[in-house]
Amino acid sequence: MKSRIAELYGVWMSELRMVFRDPAAILIFLIVPLVYPLLYTTIYNKEVVREVPVVVVDDSHSAAGREFARLTDLSPDVRVIATAEDMARARDLVARREAYGIIHIPAGFAADIARGEQTQVEVFAEMSSILHYKAILLSATEASLVMGADIRVAETGHNSAGEDATAMRYVKGEWVSVYNIPNGFAAFFIPAVLILILQQTMLLGMATLFGTRAERRQIMLPSERMAGRRRGLQAVTLGKALCYSTLYLVISVWVLRVVPYLFGLPQIGHPGTLIVFLIPFLLSCTFFCMTLSYLSSQREFGLLLFASTSVIFIFLSGVSWPWNAMPGTLKAVAYLIPSTPGVQGFVKINTMGASLGSVMFEYVMLWIQAAFYWGAATLMHRWWVRNYDPRLNPPLSYTPME
Amino acid sequence: MARSKVVLWGAVCVPLLAAAVFLPMMRSGLPVGIPVALVDHDNSATSRALVRQLDAFPKTDIAYRCATFGEAQRLMERGEVYAIMTIPEGFARDASTGRQPQLGYYTNNAFLINGSLTFQDLKTASVLAAASVGIKLGDAHGETGMQAMQAAQPIVVESHPVGNPSLNYSIYLNNMLLPGVLQLIVLMFTVSAFGSEVKAGNGPGLIELAGGSTPAAVMGKLLPYTILFMSIGLMFMGLLYGICAFPLRNGFWPMALNYLLLILASQGFAMALLAVFRNYRFSVSIACLIGMLSIPLSGFTFPVTAMYGPMQAWSSIVPLRHFFLNYVDQALAGVPLGYSAMHYAALMGFVAVGLGAMPGVGNILRNDTYRP
């Protein structure tokens, strides 16, 4: 037993030494997780869209029309940059991207209000961003509600202030945005990105290292031999897993705790819960990445093969595209990837303050994945050693030998 | 190229996989049936009518009825529901006597899309509730239905989302996710096209094959890739505009040109990266990192105008950004080509940068040996 532990420790340490000797591994394992979360969060960090430029076309040429435009402009979300004389001119401003939407006040606007008839304001929004559309629509709707309430009070006649308030609103609605209070884009998206950064840098780094060994036919590195003989399959697989998962436990502190803190993102999870959750996540990640990395046959191929999968994995994780709207087959595929339960569990713990009990499903799923990919990584290692045995499959002529 | 397994897997299978995942994933366009919990303390005919109305909205599905708010909150924490609506005790009585009862709606915006979509439904339901109470009161005061409607909502806003009237998320996302994956692949595989020659020690051989001409060697090497990537681009166009019938207002050619220029611009950009960094492995890493960041920097999820200044500046040197603006103009809005001229020109600018980097790439092929 004692020698087993010593052996694992030996594999772990010699693998770690090789990681720190390779500039590619240092770039992908250390520098990218350090810098990339900062860049990504900076892109989204303004969180919300403010002062979206819009142009007003007021065909009513009335005080009521100007009042509507003024009320819209009051909203922090939009800014009325111009009043155009007709729709053609307004469309031109939108096509030039000087404005992102048009608010069209019809000719009969003031007359309809005076006659006590319902009137309609049209909003045209350019659809390059749904956030622009939302800002313009919500501001115009808010203006219509405020102005509508004033009209209602004017019509029902002035009574006591209390009755006026009732005339404005028969039923009040109170909206509370739970967990992501500023309703921000970064607070929603970045937690998922952080988990993906952990998984994908691990995948790309390992695939680079394993690809390098494959092309050089280095199947008997110090981490794989002892006293001139090949170590046991499990000693190698588990020892390497220890190396990468502990390395990533350290990296996780920066990526999952410090980065959200630096940018003031929601972070109400209990650190203890997070660590307990991270253990199966990092283990399943490690074995998953190991399984795939044995497929990389050259140093540079890891990036070429696996980099684009990040875009696919993040959408499969069920945050950008809601889980309840995903077809069943894709849900099944998504559960083959550690980032899926990883992202869902992390968002619940970190952003929503969930307890371990509330993420039990994801937690168990990660342990199942860890066990499954442990087996897969062991089998892949056996295949890899046979496939790249230099006696059976000599290295390519150009590969520099050590 | 044709014999390379890594090209087959990385440059052919991955884009196919992306299309096979993203298009079926978002087939519904808008998420439907988002689970919501309801806490109805009133349980009157009025509150039940409100609930029926809410449940009838396609986006919202009242999955749970809870006796207490705490129970609903635990469901939300487990991710079983994305919103909670509470109806206070005495809701019907208070509404009809003008005591303004308060409906509460709580949305989980840690999942922003579900949160905002259920918010829209909950808000509409509560506005409709207010209107229906207003109509009832109006009836009591002898107003006609129309007058009461007007009294409840004198001004209505009608929205016209230009180019995407159904607010289909699949149109939003897939029109850019697939080109985003394509750009990433073009960047990496352009670097590797030359890097692998250097690695194999074939650089001088390639130049010799081209009769000693650097442009012939470089272009000869890249042309098969350009054809491969353009076939993928045309396949994406077929899927998006043919099978899914997404808007393509100005027809086939402006977008086909946009795809072609995106590919050429990315090839030019990648050549510049290789010429600057020289090392194959390091240049592929940088191409990968830039390619990944380009996707959010293009601004189709979070608008560029809302980013910090330096990020806005960075986005202008991303080919995908210019591709995106052209796509908005030509496919979604259908404005005359002239309005997009600047961004087509910007993409050509990247091609020019690539031509400028050509001597550098030729130099690498002639003189460099592989460094890991």
Side-chain angles (χ1 to χ4, degrees):
Chain A
M1 187 65 201
K2 210 170 173 186
S3 68
R4 282 277 170 87
I5 292 175
E7 186 172 21
L8 280 183
Y9 183 78
V11 176
W12 174 5
M13 285 301 136
S14 40
E15 184 80 9
L16 198 60
R17 264 194 294 278
M18 277 183 290
V19 167
F20 281 99
R21 253 185 239 148
D22 189 325
I26 292 176
L27 175 72
I28 300 175
F29 284 143
L30 300 178
I31 298 174
V32 173
L34 191 72
V35 180
Y36 226 51
L38 301 179
L39 285 175
Y40 240 102
T41 315
T42 309
I43 292 177
Y44 296 118
N45 197 43
K46 279 198 144 168
E47 295 276 16
V48 285
V49 179
R50 294 276 190 238
E51 301 282 321
V52 175
V54 295
V55 50
V56 170
V57 178
D58 181 4
D59 282 341
S60 77
H61 302 285
S62 63
R66 283 189 293 277
E67 173 67 5
F68 189 86
R70 191 189 66 84
L71 284 170
T72 310
D73 197 24
L74 273 185
S75 152
D77 294 344
V78 304
R79 180 164 49 96
V80 175
I81 54 143
T83 311
E85 57 271 27
D86 56 24
M87 284 300 284
R89 172 75 190 126
R91 285 213 175 88
D92 178 63
L93 283 174
V94 172
R96 289 173 195 283
R97 295 210 168 78
E98 287 173 33
Y100 290 102
I102 306 169
I103 292 176
H104 179 223
I105 299 167
F109 185 71
D112 283 345
I113 292 173
R115 276 201 305 273
E117 279 169 24
Q118 195 171 47
T119 187
Q120 200 170 49
V121 171
E122 289 179 304
V123 167
F124 297 85
E126 175 264 4
M127 294 310 280
S128 69
S129 165
I130 202 147
L131 295 178
H132 282 155
Y133 165 74
K134 232 172 81 180
I136 299 168
L137 181 62
L138 286 181
S139 305
T141 306
E142 199 56 41
S144 79
L145 292 177
V146 170
M147 211 169 147
D150 287 343
I151 294 166
R152 214 147 53 206
V153 171
E155 282 173 356
T156 49
H158 291 275
N159 302 309
S160 72
E163 279 180 37
D164 278 358
T166 314
M168 281 180 163
R169 272 182 164 172
Y170 299 105
V171 176
K172 285 197 283 190
E174 188 201 25
W175 172 47
V176 182
S177 157
V178 200
Y179 306 129
N180 176 1
I181 292 133
N183 241 334
F185 205 88
F188 144 72
F189 195 53
I190 291 298
V193 170
L194 296 178
I195 290 285
L196 252 295
I197 286 178
L198 289 179
Q199 177 186 289
Q200 295 301 105
T201 54
M202 194 196 259
L203 175 59
L204 297 180
M206 257 197 228
T208 302
L209 284 174
F210 289 15
T212 311
R213 292 173 200 176
E215 72 182 12
R216 295 177 190 170
R217 307 292 187 261
Q218 292 169 327
I219 57 164
M220 283 281 267
L221 287 169
S223 58
E224 283 155 349
R225 65 162 190 263
M226 192 172 54
R229 288 184 50 224
R230 168 157 293 283
R231 291 180 196 265
L233 256 182
Q234 281 313 333
V236 175
T237 304
L238 286 175
K240 283 185 187 170
L242 264 175
C243 164
Y244 296 106
S245 43
T246 50
L247 179 66
Y248 265 76
L249 199 58
V250 179
I251 295 168
S252 302
V253 175
W254 167 260
V255 175
L256 299 183
R257 293 302 288 182
V258 182
V259 170
Y261 172 78
L262 289 178
F263 288 94
L265 299 176
Q267 195 172 31
I268 57 172
H270 191 279
T273 312
L274 199 54
I275 288 195
V276 173
F277 182 78
L278 265 185
I279 290 168
F281 172 67
L282 290 178
L283 282 177
S284 63
C285 251
T286 306
F287 289 123
F288 171 76
C289 297
M290 222 183 251
T291 306
L292 289 182
S293 294
Y294 285 123
L295 295 170
S296 165
S297 60
Q298 283 193 35
R299 184 169 172 79
E300 295 79 9
F301 284 3
L303 289 161
L304 298 176
L305 284 173
F306 300 127
S308 329
T309 58
S310 309
V311 190
I312 300 175
F313 290 167
I314 200 158
F315 270 84
L316 284 177
S317 75
V319 168
S320 333
W321 187 252
W323 193 243
N324 46 282
M326 209 180 286
T329 342
L330 284 177
K331 279 188 191 171
V333 174
Y335 272 131
L336 294 173
I337 304 152
S339 54
T340 305
V343 165
Q344 297 197 356
F346 179 66
V347 169
K348 286 176 192 168
I349 294 170
N350 174 71
T351 317
M352 301 162 58
S355 62
L356 196 63
S358 294
V359 294
M360 201 35 87
F361 178 76
E362 287 84 358
Y363 189 69
V364 171
M365 178 66 80
L366 284 170
W367 278 114
I368 295 172
Q369 285 183 347
F372 175 76
Y373 285 113
W374 175 21
T378 311
L379 294 177
M380 282 301 289
H381 181 70
R382 190 150 63 182
W383 168 82
W384 187 82
V385 168
R386 285 195 195 135
N387 192 49
Y388 291 104
D389 189 329
R391 287 163 300 180
L392 306 174
N393 185 359
L396 306 172
S397 57
Y398 56 81
T399 309
M401 295 293 290
E402 274 192 355
Chain B
M1 185 182 98
R3 271 176 298 150
S4 165
K5 268 200 259 181
V6 74
V7 173
L8 181 66
W9 287 106
V12 179
C13 288
V14 170
L16 289 176
L17 183 69
V21 168
F22 291 146
L23 290 170
M25 183 187 287
M26 303 174 200
R27 200 170 40 200
S28 60
L30 261 183
V32 288
I34 302 167
V36 167
L38 175 81
V39 188
D40 183 359
H41 289 303
D42 190 43
N43 209 10
S44 62
T46 313
S47 78
R48 282 194 298 271
L50 170 67
V51 170
R52 268 198 305 279
Q53 189 139 49
L54 181 62
D55 210 11
F57 292 136
K59 277 179 290 187
T60 305
D61 167 34
I62 298 179
Y64 296 91
R65 286 159 203 270
C66 303
T68 64
F69 185 72
E71 198 185 315
Q73 210 174 4
R74 274 190 297 282
L75 285 171
M76 194 192 253
E77 195 184 281
R78 281 210 304 271
E80 311 246 351
V81 299
Y82 294 91
I84 303 169
M85 181 168 217
T86 59
I87 302 175
E89 206 182 325
F91 171 76
R93 185 191 60 229
D94 290 353
S96 57
T97 52
R99 255 178 285 167
Q100 293 181 288
Q102 184 159 315
L103 294 171
Y105 33 108
Y106 302 79
T107 59
N108 178 359
N109 283 28
F111 295 88
L112 196 65
I113 293 187
N114 274 348
S116 346
L117 290 176
T118 47
F119 167 72
Q120 287 168 10
D121 276 3
L122 293 169
K123 172 119 186 168
T124 313
S126 81
V127 167
L128 288 174
S132 75
V133 172
I135 289 169
K136 275 194 199 128
L137 290 183
D139 285 346
H141 292 157
E143 289 179 354
T144 67
M146 266 315 285
Q147 278 172 324
M149 237 359 231
Q150 192 277 339
Q153 220 182 344
I155 305 170
V156 293
V157 172
E158 195 187 62
S159 71
H160 302 270
V162 177
N164 190 352
S166 55
L167 298 181
N168 183 327
Y169 274 74
S170 186
I171 294 183
Y172 265 106
L173 297 171
N174 282 320
N175 265 310
M176 284 307 293
L177 281 175
L178 296 179
V181 170
L182 184 63
Q183 183 194 263
L184 174 64
I185 288 169
V186 176
L187 286 174
M188 292 191 304
F189 277 88
T190 305
V191 172
S192 86
F194 298 109
S196 60
E197 294 288 351
V198 172
K199 187 171 181 177
N202 280 347
L206 186 71
I207 301 270
E208 203 176 304
L209 193 70
S213 149
T214 301
V218 170
M219 289 189 180
K221 182 75 197 168
L222 285 187
L223 188 65
Y225 284 93
T226 312
I227 293 169
L228 169 70
F229 294 137
M230 193 58 200
S231 323
I232 294 172
L234 288 173
M235 180 200 73
F236 284 168
M237 283 186 72
L239 290 172
L240 294 170
Y241 306 119
I243 292 176
C244 296
F246 290 164
L248 185 63
R249 297 279 291 274
N250 283 358
F252 173 78
W253 292 107
M255 272 310 278
L257 178 65
N258 201 18
Y259 267 96
L260 180 64
L261 284 176
L262 174 73
I263 290 161
L264 294 175
S266 308
Q267 287 183 317
F269 194 94
M271 279 167 64
L273 287 180
L274 183 65
V276 170
F277 295 111
R278 300 194 75 133
N279 180 305
Y280 171 23
R281 190 263 315 159
F282 190 73
S283 306
V284 175
S285 310
I286 297 296
C288 162
L289 297 175
I290 291 181
M292 286 302 302
L293 275 179
S294 296
I295 296 174
L297 276 175
S298 69
F300 73 104
T301 48
F302 190 71
V304 168
T305 45
M307 292 175 196
Y308 292 116
M311 289 297 169
Q312 294 194 19
W314 186 354
S315 82
S316 62
I317 52 164
V318 166
L320 193 64
R321 168 71 180 157
H322 299 282
F323 171 90
F324 169 63
L325 294 173
N326 286 338
Y327 140 73
V328 169
D329 285 348
Q330 299 306 317
L332 277 189
V335 298
L337 205 58
Y339 284 107
S340 313
M342 211 175 81
H343 298 291
Y344 280 104
L347 287 174
M348 290 175 203
F350 289 104
V351 182
V353 167
L355 294 177
M358 202 180 269
V361 174
N363 198 12
I364 291 171
L365 286 174
R366 282 195 176 84
N367 305 322
D368 278 15
T369 49
Y370 176 67
R371 284 163 295 144

